[in-house]
């Protein structure tokens, strides 16, 4: 669960969440994503970014006001 202050949803907070999501994806699926990117001629960084954004939809957010 991710706890956020409703008044602090600025770009820095969004980047922190995306960075955390990227780390999780890289730990879980890093090797598979790299091999997939190589096999299909894709940019690994872009692929990781797309998967990290998808991963954010799985988070449960709790907002405080």
């Amino acid at each position: 669960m991710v706890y956020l202050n409703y008044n602090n949803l600025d770009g820095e907070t969004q980047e922190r969440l995306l960075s955390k999501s990227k780390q999780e994806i890289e730990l879980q699926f890093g090797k598979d994503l790299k091999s997939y990117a190589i096999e299909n001629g894709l940019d690994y960084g872009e692929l990781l970014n797309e998967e990290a954004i998808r991963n954010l939809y799985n988070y449960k957010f709790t907002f405080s006001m």
Side-chain angles (χ1 to χ4, degrees), residues 12-62:
E12 183 179 326
T13 303
Q14 293 175 25
E15 285 298 319
R16 181 175 48 91
L17 288 171
L18 185 59
S19 175
K20 181 180 177 184
S21 181
K22 281 182 185 179
Q23 290 173 351
E24 290 177 3
I25 292 295
E26 201 159 25
L27 285 173
Q28 291 178 349
F29 307 110
K31 291 180 183 178
D32 294 335
L33 283 176
K34 283 181 185 177
S35 64
Y36 180 79
I38 291 170
E39 288 175 8
N40 295 297
L42 301 172
D43 179 31
Y44 174 72
E46 188 175 320
L47 186 61
L48 179 63
N49 195 39
E50 290 174 7
E51 291 299 321
I53 291 170
R54 280 192 204 121
N55 186 47
L56 286 174
Y57 289 107
N58 295 327
Y59 282 10
K60 292 181 180 179
F61 294 99
T62 300

